[in-house]
Structure formats: C-alpha cells, structure tokens
C-alpha cells in the first residue's frame, strides 16, 4: 500500500477512570503504535472537560517522546488563538532539540473548550485585541523559520535552534484553511472527523494541491474503527454522537448534550440551536477500511491518513490499530 498510517489520540477519560489513567493509556497507545509501525502520533488540546485529559499537548508530547524512540510525536493541534506565536515556536524548537527529527507542530483554529476556559486562557487581554488567525499563523511561521545569527540583537529569535526543524501542519476543514496553509508553506491536514462532508474534503485537498504547487503534503484525518467483523464494528459505533451548537453565526461541536448546554449558558445565549449528530466513523473490517482509504488516496492523491478512534475504551482503540496495522 502506498500510503502511511498515523494516529490522533485525545486521551479520553472512560467511566470510572482518572485523568492519570487516561494519560497512561495514551502512553501505552503510543508505544503500541511505534511497535506496529505507525508513522506519527498526535495529541490534542481540550480545556476544562472531564472527558478528555489532554489540556497541554506540548507537555504530553515531551512525556511521549521520552518513552518512545522512533515514532514522530506532535500536536493535533495547538489552539493558536490562545497563545503568543513566539512562545509556541520556542516550545516546539525546544522539543525538536530534545528529540531531533521526531517532532511535528500541528496548529488548529478552534478554541478547544467552552467560553469560560477561552476567557481564562486569554488572561487580561480583551477578546478583540488579538490579531486574526491568519496573522497569528504568519507570525508563528516567522518565528519557526527566522533563526539566523545575523538577527541576534535585532529581533527576538525562538531559540534553541534545533538541528532538524519540526514538520509544520495546519489543521483545517475548509478550502480557505487549505489555501492559508499553502500560502505560508505549511502542510495541510483536512479534519474529516470534524467536517464529514466528502465534497468539502475533496474541495479542500484539491485546493491545497493547486495552491501549494506540490511543495507540501496534504493529509486526511478520519474517524476510524476496525473490528474483526462488520457487525462488531457497527455495534461499537452505533451509539456514538456529537452535538452541534449554533449561536448566531458561530458553530461549535461538543461531545455531550451537557457540554452543549454548558456552552449556551457560558456564552449567555438566548437564541440558539442544539442538534444531535451521529458520528461519522469509517468502520468495518480492516479490509473494508483499507479499501476505502485506497479509494480516497487514488482520488485525492493523499499519501497519509491520520486515524482517530473516537471511543473511550482503551482496549477497543488498541485492538483497532492492531487490526489496521496487520492489514497494512
């Protein structure tokens, strides 16, 4: 097969589990992924939730790098709107210096939490004081690429200078994100487990190919569950849902109805809509899944997939990646 398989893990906290146990499961997941030959493992950023333990991907990346030896480790992603681009660049240059040629920096636009955590992350800065996301990403690009000695004393450099710079990925779910990634020299990852529209996925990946002129990679991230039989896979995903909250022209997707109601309350919204949506999970036997991945690969010239298994049971997630690796 002429495509790579990589993984996204969100450190889900299962019923009766502590956050420490969920993070230990992520470490086990990473070590298993390395043994099975997966190319990358990314961890996510979510705030003020009892369901996901990964609030600081940079910290978790360091821990995973220290306990693996070959697997690329990165963020899927850092939510740049909350942070100084300079500090983000420093963090990832330090990580890349500790583990040369193993670090990826993935950047996302979403808040990764509800309004109260977003406000807390911004500290004392007014909500409208930050530059827009494209400007922040441009600043981050500058700090990740301008490290020359002749700049010393003239402008701030995001040191230390790693021997191999981190690979850069913009996570997005629209053609606009794809064009932004291409314009700044970033690789692009279409978040297919967030925007499940096949048409938008096609438009986004093709837009990236066109605007990048072959200078970067386009990846697709999908929700995937493999089981030994189609019936087992269908049963495991049958009760999985997201909730889409619409407040004015803002949209957010959360994991539970309680989270959707909390978002509405924290946003102070009086007019809103909450829709339950069944998760779109590519599921079946490993052969079924690889056939569909091959179809996407041929149609969109995508040479790598980032697999996200949106179930809290660690044993189920491990079994799924074992089955997929066995067929790859």
């Amino acid at each position: 097969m002429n495509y790579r398989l990589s993984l996204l893990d969100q450190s889900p906290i299962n019923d009766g589990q502590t956050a420490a146990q969920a993070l230990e499961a992520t470490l086990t997941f990473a070590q298993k992924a390395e043994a099975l030959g997966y190319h990358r493992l990314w961890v996510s950023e979510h705030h003020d939730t009892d369901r996901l333990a990964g609030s600081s991907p940079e910290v978790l990346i360091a821990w995973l790098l220290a306990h693996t030896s070959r697997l690329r480790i990165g963020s899927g992603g850092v939510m740049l709107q909350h942070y100084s681009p300079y500090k983000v660049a420093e963090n990832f240059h330090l990580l890349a210096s500790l583990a040369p040629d193993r670090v990826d920096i993935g950047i996302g636009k979403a808040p990764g939490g509800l309004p109260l955590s977003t406000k807390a992350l911004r500290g004392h800065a007014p909500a409208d004081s930050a530059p827009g996301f494209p400007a922040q990403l441009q600043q981050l690009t500058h700090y990740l690429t301008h490290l020359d000695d002749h700049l010393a004393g003239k402008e701030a450099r995001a040191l230390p200078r790693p021997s191999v710079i981190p690979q850069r990925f913009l996570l997005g779910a629209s053609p606009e994100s794809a064009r932004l990634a291409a314009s700044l020299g970033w690789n692009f990852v279409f978040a297919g487990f967030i925007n499940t529209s096949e048409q938008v996925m096609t438009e986004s990946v093709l837009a990236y190919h066109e605007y990048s002129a072959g200078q970067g990679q386009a990846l697709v991230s999908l929700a995937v569950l493999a089981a030994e039989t189609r019936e087992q896979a269908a049963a495991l995903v049958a009760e999985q849902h997201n909730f889409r909250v619409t407040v004015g022209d803002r949209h957010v997707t959360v994991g539970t109805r309680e989270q959707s109601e909390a978002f509405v309350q924290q946003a102070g919204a009086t007019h809103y809509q909450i829709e339950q949506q069944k998760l779109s999970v590519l599921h079946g036997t490993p052969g079924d899944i690889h056939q569909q991945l091959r179809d996407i690969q041929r149609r969109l010239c995508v040479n790598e997939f980032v697999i996200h298994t949106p179930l809290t049971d660690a044993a189920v997630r491990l079994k799924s990646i074992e089955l997929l690796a066995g067929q790859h």
Side-chain angles (χ1 to χ4, degrees):
M1 298 178 186
N2 56 347
Y3 55 83
R4 286 171 165 165
L5 286 181
S6 296
L7 300 170
L8 168 67
D9 191 70
Q10 295 186 333
S11 304
I13 304 173
N14 207 356
D15 292 341
Q17 202 178 36
T18 65
Q21 289 170 324
L23 293 167
E24 186 66 29
T26 290
L27 174 57
T28 299
F29 196 72
Q31 292 172 330
K32 176 62 73 172
E34 181 169 82
L36 291 169
Y38 283 87
H39 185 54
R40 321 174 192 272
L41 174 76
W42 291 346
V43 294
S44 62
E45 176 180 333
H46 292 89
H47 300 286
D48 192 17
T49 171
D50 295 325
R51 294 171 56 85
L52 302 170
S55 57
S56 178
E58 302 94 328
V59 174
L60 186 51
I61 288 167
W63 176 251
L64 296 175
L65 286 168
H67 289 81
T68 54
S69 59
R70 300 182 308 278
L71 186 68
R72 298 193 66 87
I73 307 288
S75 55
V78 168
M79 299 299 128
L80 185 59
Q81 65 168 287
H82 304 312
Y83 309 117
S84 154
Y86 178 73
K87 184 58 178 175
V88 173
E90 280 190 326
N91 285 341
F92 278 86
H93 281 161
L94 179 55
L95 290 168
S97 298
L98 291 168
D101 203 19
R102 291 186 57 209
V103 175
D104 299 333
I105 176 171
I107 295 296
K109 184 179 180 180
L114 303 185
L116 286 178
S117 60
T118 296
K119 182 179 179 181
L121 283 160
R122 290 176 179 168
H124 300 295
D128 58 357
S129 66
F133 182 79
Q136 285 183 298
L137 190 66
Q138 188 170 20
Q139 290 173 14
L140 177 58
T141 306
H142 177 85
Y143 290 126
L144 289 170
T145 54
H146 287 66
L147 297 169
D148 295 341
D149 289 338
H150 76 271
L151 297 174
K154 299 177 182 177
E155 64 176 69
R157 294 172 297 161
L159 301 178
R161 181 190 296 111
S163 59
V164 181
I165 62 174
Q167 291 188 15
R168 307 195 303 265
F169 297 86
L170 177 63
L171 286 62
S174 68
E176 292 75 20
S177 292
R179 288 190 285 268
L180 176 61
S183 71
L184 294 176
W186 286 64
N187 302 301
F188 175 66
V189 186
F190 181 79
F193 64 93
I194 295 174
N195 189 333
T196 59
S197 167
E198 187 171 325
Q199 179 179 344
V200 175
M201 177 176 71
T202 299
E203 293 173 353
S204 301
V205 173
L206 294 182
Y208 182 79
H209 288 324
E210 177 184 357
Y211 282 82
S212 67
Q215 297 304 303
Q217 302 179 70
L219 283 61
V220 170
S221 184
L222 297 169
V224 173
L225 176 70
E228 292 180 347
T229 69
R230 293 173 181 173
E231 293 75 18
Q232 289 175 346
L236 286 166
V237 303
E239 300 304 319
Q240 302 299 312
H241 296 92
N242 274 338
F243 292 83
R244 178 181 172 88
V245 186
T246 301
V247 178
D249 60 355
R250 298 167 61 196
H251 304 283
V252 64
T253 300
V254 296
T256 67
R257 183 169 293 279
E258 290 77 15
Q259 287 178 316
S260 64
E261 292 170 349
F263 179 90
V264 170
Q265 181 181 15
Q266 292 179 24
T270 55
H271 300 286
Y272 60 89
Q273 184 177 6
I274 297 175
E275 301 171 86
Q276 179 175 303
Q277 299 178 323
K278 187 173 182 179
L279 279 185
S280 179
V281 181
L282 180 58
H283 63 279
T285 67
D288 294 334
I289 291 167
H290 280 295
Q291 181 58 57
Q292 294 186 63
L293 296 182
R294 283 193 295 270
D295 290 344
I296 297 172
Q297 192 276 334
R298 285 192 290 262
R299 183 165 56 84
L300 299 181
C301 296
V302 172
N303 296 317
E304 185 173 344
F305 295 94
V306 182
I307 301 305
H308 167 49
T309 304
L311 276 75
T312 58
D313 190 319
V316 172
R317 302 202 316 275
L318 282 174
K319 183 65 175 178
S320 179
I321 67 169
E322 288 173 355
L323 290 169
L324 285 173
Q327 290 287 316
H328 192 250

